[in-house]
Amino acid sequence: MLKIENIRKVFNPGTVNEKVALNGLNLELNPGDFVTVIGGNGAGKSTMLNSVAGVYGVDSGNIYIDGVDVTHLPEYKRAKFIGRVFQDPMMGTAATMQIEENMALAARRGKPRTLRTGISNKEREFYREQLKILELGLEDRMTAKVGLLSGGQRQALTLLMATLQKPKLLLLDEHTAALDPKTADKVLEATEKIVAANNLTTLMITHNMRDAIEHGNRLIMMYDGRIVVDVSGEEKKNLTVEQLLNLFSQASGSDEVDDKLVLS
Amino acid sequence: MTSLINALPGALAQGLIWGIMAIGLYITYKVLEISDLTVDGSFCTGGAVCAMMLIGGHNVWVAMLVALLAGMVAGFVTGILHTTLKIPAILSGILTQLGLWSINLAIMGMKANQALNVNNYDMLVSLRYLQDVSKGLRPFWQHPLFSVGLFTVAIIAVLYWFFGTELGCSIRATGANGNMARAQGINTNFNKVLGLMISNGLVALSGALLAQFQSFADINMGRGAIVIGLAAIIIGQVTFGKIFRNFALKLLAVSLGSVIYYVVIQAVISLLDINSNYLKLISAVIVAVFLAVPNIMPNLQKGKKEAGHA
Ligand SMILES: Nc1ncnc2c1ncn2[C@@H]1O[C@H](COP(=O)(O)OP(=O)(O)OP(=O)(O)O)[C@@H](O)[C@H]1O
Ligand SMILES: [Mg+2]
């Protein structure tokens, strides 16, 4: 479903701030894969997701989604294939617009924006049903401005919006990191539910090792702009946090495991 | 006092005309969150095009349509400078405005102004019509307050419809959160250009109306338009913000804000009997006051609260 071929991304090339964020990264996802992504700060996780989403171009390599070469497509055109939830709860929704308006915008992802009405009564009913899935009571506040919602509610809404129009690929960048533990669990639960119900191919970045092990069918670990661990199936199911730390130390070639590097 | 009362209908009509410009500015400033300085130039473009078209013997509606299109072209140029060429919005607007100075002069046949004799042309609005209607020489609907008022309502109605369409909603999303908009497949650059075009089209339309109203187009007629537009937006918001929530009503508030602005200016001039050279200074002060009010008031309240907690 997703094929990343040898991509390289350098920030601020030729300056003292030069940073090789992705260094010959390869990854292939099968349809229905739910992959959790872990790795230390600056490992290149967000850069990988942003490169796939087209937030910026890559310096070399190719990206294919469902067989289509999207390497040179602008962000808004790739959106047709991709649903996204960001780390920052403010980023995924338009605060000054209503809940239902936000949903209507998302429901038209990848479709031309015409002079037809921005939201019809028929869709409103559909959105109400969809909002019920979240169990946050948002179905009764559909005309409220999104800016009035809490971070957790906004993330849950963004998640729903990302999947209203079934994406070929769902990209989640630490989408629960800014939430309190209880809310984070709820949003993660909703994620699990929505991904399973739609059989979505998903990439989920997390800093929580336990979440990374518990969710999905495959786990990858990044280090220095590359994937250094890739486990799936039974092997992943039986992973422990301890084993994961060991894998990390082997892969990164350091004798001592710096817990902070992985867990922070 | 009598001078104020005599000048009032004119001030009201002028306020309504500038209100259309302010509604145009609202689209960039509030909906797209872009500060667009093109308007000082495109306002004059509208007036110049309309005047020259009328002088050339064209129908007033055709003249206004061409003025609208000319304004849209100006907005298009600013939009391309800003999006495709990635020049900051403010600078893009300034560049277009600068260039328009020469273009506006060229439109007016390299003259700084062009007079429109009311008797020679069938215009939509004119200060003269105002007097004519009160004398009973013309039907009431030719009263500038009525005709411009109707025009304003029509523009608000069209904009209200448009910003409720899929395309209009996507423009609002572009201004509200560009990241979100792109993630939802919205071409934000296209939308910014489109928004700038609609905005400057309205601004030029307003300039076309003013040229008719005052019976001339002048190279300086748009100078300070951005300030007047901002004043109208802020005054409208401060005055009606609490009660006008609906988008159409918000646009109406902008128009009324412009009217209030003109009445205040007129009152200051008439009542204090000051030299009209101080007009710009007074305008700047009025706008500064209205811009500062919403900033200072919550601060005062916040200051009180903080003091209370301490
Ligand atoms: N827009 C940017 N400009 C310059 N450097 C950047 C930019 N984005 C990322 N980087 C750098 O690229 C490297 C990889 O960053 P990235 O955000 O992908 O890390 P990450 O794995 O997501 O880390 P974290 O867990 O902290 O989110 C870092 O060194 C970062 O400083
Ligand atoms: Mg990151």
Side-chain angles (χ1 to χ4, degrees), chain B residues 169-187:
Chain B
C169 283
S170 79
I171 292 181
R172 285 161 58 209
T174 299
N177 185 346
N179 281 314
M180 176 269 194
R182 279 185 295 277
Q184 302 304 345
I186 293 167
N187 186 345

Side-chain angles (χ1 to χ4, degrees), chain A residues 9-12 17-22 38-50 56 87 173-174 205-207 222 225 261 264:
Chain A
K9 175 73 189 172
V10 184
F11 287 109
N12 308 314
N17 294 321
E18 178 170 303
K19 172 74 203 173
V20 181
L22 295 178
I38 56 171
N41 290 121
K45 306 180 297 293
S46 296
T47 308
M48 172 174 75
L49 251 59
N50 289 338
Y56 30 66
Q87 177 172 355
D173 188 352
E174 297 189 54
I205 299 177
T206 176
H207 269 283
M222 289 185 69
L261 198 65
S264 57

Side-chain angles (χ1 to χ4, degrees), chain A residues 75-76 79 84 86 90-94 96-97 101-102 105-106 108-109 112-118 161, chain B residues 33 161-162 164-170 172-173 176-177 179-188 245 250:
Chain A
E75 186 182 3
Y76 78 91
R84 270 195 285 168
F86 311 92
M90 301 300 140
M91 211 149 139
T93 43
T96 53
M97 298 176 79
E101 285 176 332
N102 271 274
L105 285 165
R108 288 162 176 75
R109 184 162 46 75
R113 314 274 163 167
T114 68
L115 292 178
R116 272 196 296 267
T117 177
M161 284 164 54
Chain B
E33 306 214 2
W161 163 78
F162 177 73
T165 64
E166 291 176 336
L167 183 60
C169 283
S170 79
R172 285 161 58 209
N177 185 346
N179 281 314
M180 176 269 194
R182 279 185 295 277
Q184 302 304 345
I186 293 167
N187 186 345
T188 49
R245 301 257 170 200
K250 281 184 181 167

Side-chain angles (χ1 to χ4, degrees), chain B residues 173-202:
Chain B
T174 299
N177 185 346
N179 281 314
M180 176 269 194
R182 279 185 295 277
Q184 302 304 345
I186 293 167
N187 186 345
T188 49
N189 280 345
F190 173 84
N191 279 357
K192 283 181 190 167
V193 175
L194 184 59
L196 282 162
M197 287 174 72
I198 296 171
S199 169
N200 281 288
L202 288 173

